[in-house]
Amino acid sequence: MHICLDIEIRPRGVLDDEEMENFSQSDRRIVDAFDEEFQKYHVRRKRPHGYKITSKDGKYEDFWRFHERYKEQFDIVVYGNIEYDEEDFFKAEAFILTFMKQCYYYDGWNEEKYDCLETVSPVLGQWHPKAPIYIKLPANTRKEFAMRPAGANTPDFESYLSPQLYEYLISCGIEKEFFRPAYAKNNPDDPIAWRLWGADHVLPPESFMPFDKPEEHIWLQDADTGYVKWVWDEPEDSDIDDEEDDDDEGEGEDYMPDWEFYLNGDFEVYQMTLNKEGIEQLAWVNEAYECIGNIRPTLIKKELFWLIEEKVPNIKRRSTPVFFSEHPKGGYKKLRIRE
């Protein structure tokens, strides 16, 4: 596994697309020299100064030296993500599945009739789909679903399968309990997709660890529902456990980490892991006890991943391998939910 960077160099403070090339004469010499040096990594379908470079490339460290030197002079947009090598997929014990296509739930005030989402934890803002599930497929996704085994993900990485892929997996011996039908609002009788369903097979608490360094993250747990949500670490003197004071409203924002608008994503390789207890309790489709964002991620057995990969080979481009690791005892920090 390695880091892949998507890079774009812009004039400082420019937001209008028409002004993206308005470098000063001195700045132009710098970006032209950079372009000549990094021409091998130039991405031509993007703006003139867009590049893609990985941590396996010889110029990776050179780029970061350039970034450090000129980050105040230019807006250097950097987005990093982890890419997995073929050997990583064969070492994995489970996967978080991600398809290339997208699908969406109905939303907006005029779609209330088709709102299939229920709030599971008001404290943490977590939700879960309820039957009947209604989704909408973009035109290109709908066309592919009608033609062949395929899949799509919501923006929150929930996986929906085409009817053909669903039938194939059923024929391979995957039980129907691991799927839920999803419908279009104009046809509530025939499923247009099937959701991978792991809510009936939740993994043991603390068996799934999304981060290599648990001491840098904490979870907040809703005592009524048992759901947990990953959040940034808080300083030791944080008053998050104290009752909120109206006079100090907004003070908690001081504890959030600084976020650079033009620098985001993953810049260090880390592994999502399951311990022995989690692996032993894997079913075909599972939900983690822990939440990332507003939902508990869906994990699937490696055998199911490879069955899907036979029909949809490009799932390896975005899916996340989950590896075995015995997690440190007491590695998680837990805080009480604010009232």
mmCIF file of all heavy atoms in Angstrom, residues 179-196:
data_model
loop_
_atom_site.group_PDB
_atom_site.id
_atom_site.type_symbol
_atom_site.label_atom_id
_atom_site.label_comp_id
_atom_site.label_asym_id
_atom_site.label_seq_id
_atom_site.Cartn_x
_atom_site.Cartn_y
_atom_site.Cartn_z
ATOM 1 N N PHE A 179 -29.225 -9.419 2.556
ATOM 2 C CA PHE A 179 -29.630 -8.427 1.560
ATOM 3 C C PHE A 179 -30.993 -7.847 1.931
ATOM 4 O O PHE A 179 -31.816 -8.508 2.558
ATOM 5 C CB PHE A 179 -29.723 -9.057 0.161
ATOM 6 C CG PHE A 179 -28.487 -9.790 -0.271
ATOM 7 C CD1 PHE A 179 -28.349 -11.152 -0.021
ATOM 8 C CD2 PHE A 179 -27.461 -9.127 -0.923
ATOM 9 C CE1 PHE A 179 -27.208 -11.842 -0.424
ATOM 10 C CE2 PHE A 179 -26.328 -9.802 -1.324
ATOM 11 C CZ PHE A 179 -26.187 -11.170 -1.078
ATOM 12 N N ARG A 180 -31.233 -6.593 1.521
ATOM 13 C CA ARG A 180 -32.531 -5.968 1.663
ATOM 14 C C ARG A 180 -32.894 -5.306 0.332
ATOM 15 O O ARG A 180 -32.057 -4.637 -0.280
ATOM 16 C CB ARG A 180 -32.532 -4.903 2.775
ATOM 17 C CG ARG A 180 -32.399 -5.448 4.173
ATOM 18 C CD ARG A 180 -33.623 -6.252 4.612
ATOM 19 N NE ARG A 180 -33.538 -6.666 6.005
ATOM 20 C CZ ARG A 180 -32.885 -7.738 6.435
ATOM 21 N NH1 ARG A 180 -32.233 -8.498 5.575
ATOM 22 N NH2 ARG A 180 -32.879 -8.052 7.719
ATOM 23 N N PRO A 181 -34.143 -5.461 -0.128
ATOM 24 C CA PRO A 181 -34.536 -4.862 -1.418
ATOM 25 C C PRO A 181 -34.641 -3.355 -1.326
ATOM 26 O O PRO A 181 -34.973 -2.796 -0.281
ATOM 27 C CB PRO A 181 -35.902 -5.507 -1.689
ATOM 28 C CG PRO A 181 -36.437 -5.849 -0.332
ATOM 29 C CD PRO A 181 -35.236 -6.214 0.502
ATOM 30 N N ALA A 182 -34.362 -2.693 -2.431
ATOM 31 C CA ALA A 182 -34.504 -1.239 -2.544
ATOM 32 C C ALA A 182 -35.289 -0.937 -3.814
ATOM 33 O O ALA A 182 -35.124 -1.603 -4.841
ATOM 34 C CB ALA A 182 -33.135 -0.567 -2.589
ATOM 35 N N TYR A 183 -36.139 0.099 -3.740
ATOM 36 C CA TYR A 183 -37.090 0.381 -4.806
ATOM 37 C C TYR A 183 -36.938 1.800 -5.327
ATOM 38 O O TYR A 183 -36.436 2.692 -4.636
ATOM 39 C CB TYR A 183 -38.523 0.199 -4.294
ATOM 40 C CG TYR A 183 -38.787 -1.158 -3.684
ATOM 41 C CD1 TYR A 183 -38.583 -1.379 -2.318
ATOM 42 C CD2 TYR A 183 -39.238 -2.215 -4.462
ATOM 43 C CE1 TYR A 183 -38.820 -2.615 -1.746
ATOM 44 C CE2 TYR A 183 -39.487 -3.468 -3.894
ATOM 45 C CZ TYR A 183 -39.272 -3.659 -2.533
ATOM 46 O OH TYR A 183 -39.497 -4.892 -1.965
ATOM 47 N N ALA A 184 -37.418 2.013 -6.554
ATOM 48 C CA ALA A 184 -37.607 3.361 -7.087
ATOM 49 C C ALA A 184 -38.981 3.845 -6.655
ATOM 50 O O ALA A 184 -39.913 3.049 -6.508
ATOM 51 C CB ALA A 184 -37.498 3.356 -8.604
ATOM 52 N N LYS A 185 -39.141 5.152 -6.471
ATOM 53 C CA LYS A 185 -40.402 5.668 -5.939
ATOM 54 C C LYS A 185 -41.570 5.437 -6.896
ATOM 55 O O LYS A 185 -42.719 5.398 -6.465
ATOM 56 C CB LYS A 185 -40.274 7.154 -5.617
ATOM 57 C CG LYS A 185 -40.084 8.059 -6.830
ATOM 58 C CD LYS A 185 -40.030 9.508 -6.397
ATOM 59 C CE LYS A 185 -39.868 10.447 -7.588
ATOM 60 N NZ LYS A 185 -39.839 11.853 -7.187
ATOM 61 N N ASN A 186 -41.293 5.261 -8.212
ATOM 62 C CA ASN A 186 -42.382 5.040 -9.161
ATOM 63 C C ASN A 186 -42.699 3.560 -9.381
ATOM 64 O O ASN A 186 -43.534 3.217 -10.210
ATOM 65 C CB ASN A 186 -42.050 5.701 -10.505
ATOM 66 C CG ASN A 186 -40.750 5.159 -11.103
ATOM 67 O OD1 ASN A 186 -40.053 4.377 -10.465
ATOM 68 N ND2 ASN A 186 -40.437 5.599 -12.306
ATOM 69 N N ASN A 187 -42.001 2.673 -8.630
ATOM 70 C CA ASN A 187 -42.282 1.233 -8.753
ATOM 71 C C ASN A 187 -41.969 0.554 -7.429
ATOM 72 O O ASN A 187 -40.871 0.023 -7.240
ATOM 73 C CB ASN A 187 -41.461 0.625 -9.881
ATOM 74 C CG ASN A 187 -41.837 -0.834 -10.138
ATOM 75 O OD1 ASN A 187 -42.690 -1.404 -9.448
ATOM 76 N ND2 ASN A 187 -41.202 -1.450 -11.123
ATOM 77 N N PRO A 188 -42.924 0.531 -6.508
ATOM 78 C CA PRO A 188 -42.680 -0.041 -5.176
ATOM 79 C C PRO A 188 -42.809 -1.550 -5.118
ATOM 80 O O PRO A 188 -42.795 -2.122 -4.030
ATOM 81 C CB PRO A 188 -43.765 0.630 -4.335
ATOM 82 C CG PRO A 188 -44.889 0.849 -5.297
ATOM 83 C CD PRO A 188 -44.262 1.142 -6.628
ATOM 84 N N ASP A 189 -42.920 -2.197 -6.271
ATOM 85 C CA ASP A 189 -43.147 -3.648 -6.295
ATOM 86 C C ASP A 189 -41.910 -4.454 -6.698
ATOM 87 O O ASP A 189 -41.663 -5.536 -6.170
ATOM 88 C CB ASP A 189 -44.305 -3.983 -7.238
ATOM 89 C CG ASP A 189 -45.606 -3.346 -6.792
ATOM 90 O OD1 ASP A 189 -45.878 -3.359 -5.572
ATOM 91 O OD2 ASP A 189 -46.331 -2.819 -7.657
ATOM 92 N N ASP A 190 -41.141 -3.942 -7.654
ATOM 93 C CA ASP A 190 -39.978 -4.676 -8.161
ATOM 94 C C ASP A 190 -38.694 -3.990 -7.713
ATOM 95 O O ASP A 190 -38.455 -2.825 -8.052
ATOM 96 C CB ASP A 190 -40.016 -4.742 -9.690
ATOM 97 C CG ASP A 190 -41.238 -5.482 -10.198
ATOM 98 O OD1 ASP A 190 -41.605 -6.498 -9.583
ATOM 99 O OD2 ASP A 190 -41.829 -5.022 -11.203
ATOM 100 N N PRO A 191 -37.832 -4.673 -6.960
ATOM 101 C CA PRO A 191 -36.572 -4.056 -6.506
ATOM 102 C C PRO A 191 -35.691 -3.652 -7.684
ATOM 103 O O PRO A 191 -35.553 -4.408 -8.654
ATOM 104 C CB PRO A 191 -35.915 -5.161 -5.672
ATOM 105 C CG PRO A 191 -37.025 -6.087 -5.302
ATOM 106 C CD PRO A 191 -37.991 -6.050 -6.444
ATOM 107 N N ILE A 192 -35.114 -2.480 -7.582
ATOM 108 C CA ILE A 192 -34.134 -2.061 -8.588
ATOM 109 C C ILE A 192 -32.721 -2.335 -8.105
ATOM 110 O O ILE A 192 -31.758 -2.242 -8.870
ATOM 111 C CB ILE A 192 -34.273 -0.572 -8.932
ATOM 112 C CG1 ILE A 192 -34.057 0.304 -7.690
ATOM 113 C CG2 ILE A 192 -35.609 -0.280 -9.578
ATOM 114 C CD1 ILE A 192 -33.927 1.785 -8.006
ATOM 115 N N ALA A 193 -32.561 -2.666 -6.808
ATOM 116 C CA ALA A 193 -31.240 -2.931 -6.229
ATOM 117 C C ALA A 193 -31.432 -3.678 -4.911
ATOM 118 O O ALA A 193 -32.546 -3.762 -4.380
ATOM 119 C CB ALA A 193 -30.475 -1.633 -6.013
ATOM 120 N N TRP A 194 -30.313 -4.188 -4.403
ATOM 121 C CA TRP A 194 -30.325 -4.905 -3.126
ATOM 122 C C TRP A 194 -29.195 -4.380 -2.265
ATOM 123 O O TRP A 194 -28.045 -4.313 -2.702
ATOM 124 C CB TRP A 194 -30.166 -6.412 -3.352
ATOM 125 C CG TRP A 194 -31.346 -7.010 -4.069
ATOM 126 C CD1 TRP A 194 -31.592 -7.001 -5.412
ATOM 127 C CD2 TRP A 194 -32.445 -7.676 -3.458
ATOM 128 N NE1 TRP A 194 -32.766 -7.625 -5.690
ATOM 129 C CE2 TRP A 194 -33.331 -8.057 -4.502
ATOM 130 C CE3 TRP A 194 -32.784 -8.008 -2.148
ATOM 131 C CZ2 TRP A 194 -34.512 -8.744 -4.272
ATOM 132 C CZ3 TRP A 194 -33.961 -8.695 -1.911
ATOM 133 C CH2 TRP A 194 -34.813 -9.049 -2.966
ATOM 134 N N ARG A 195 -29.537 -4.000 -1.041
ATOM 135 C CA ARG A 195 -28.538 -3.461 -0.124
ATOM 136 C C ARG A 195 -27.852 -4.578 0.640
ATOM 137 O O ARG A 195 -28.502 -5.486 1.162
ATOM 138 C CB ARG A 195 -29.192 -2.506 0.886
ATOM 139 C CG ARG A 195 -28.186 -1.780 1.785
ATOM 140 C CD ARG A 195 -28.924 -0.981 2.862
ATOM 141 N NE ARG A 195 -28.078 -0.058 3.568
ATOM 142 C CZ ARG A 195 -27.342 -0.368 4.637
ATOM 143 N NH1 ARG A 195 -27.355 -1.599 5.116
ATOM 144 N NH2 ARG A 195 -26.609 0.553 5.223
ATOM 145 N N LEU A 196 -26.518 -4.526 0.700
ATOM 146 C CA LEU A 196 -25.798 -5.441 1.587
ATOM 147 C C LEU A 196 -26.200 -5.123 3.024
ATOM 148 O O LEU A 196 -26.121 -3.963 3.448
ATOM 149 C CB LEU A 196 -24.286 -5.280 1.405
ATOM 150 C CG LEU A 196 -23.680 -5.917 0.158
ATOM 151 C CD1 LEU A 196 -22.199 -5.580 0.073
ATOM 152 C CD2 LEU A 196 -23.866 -7.434 0.167
#
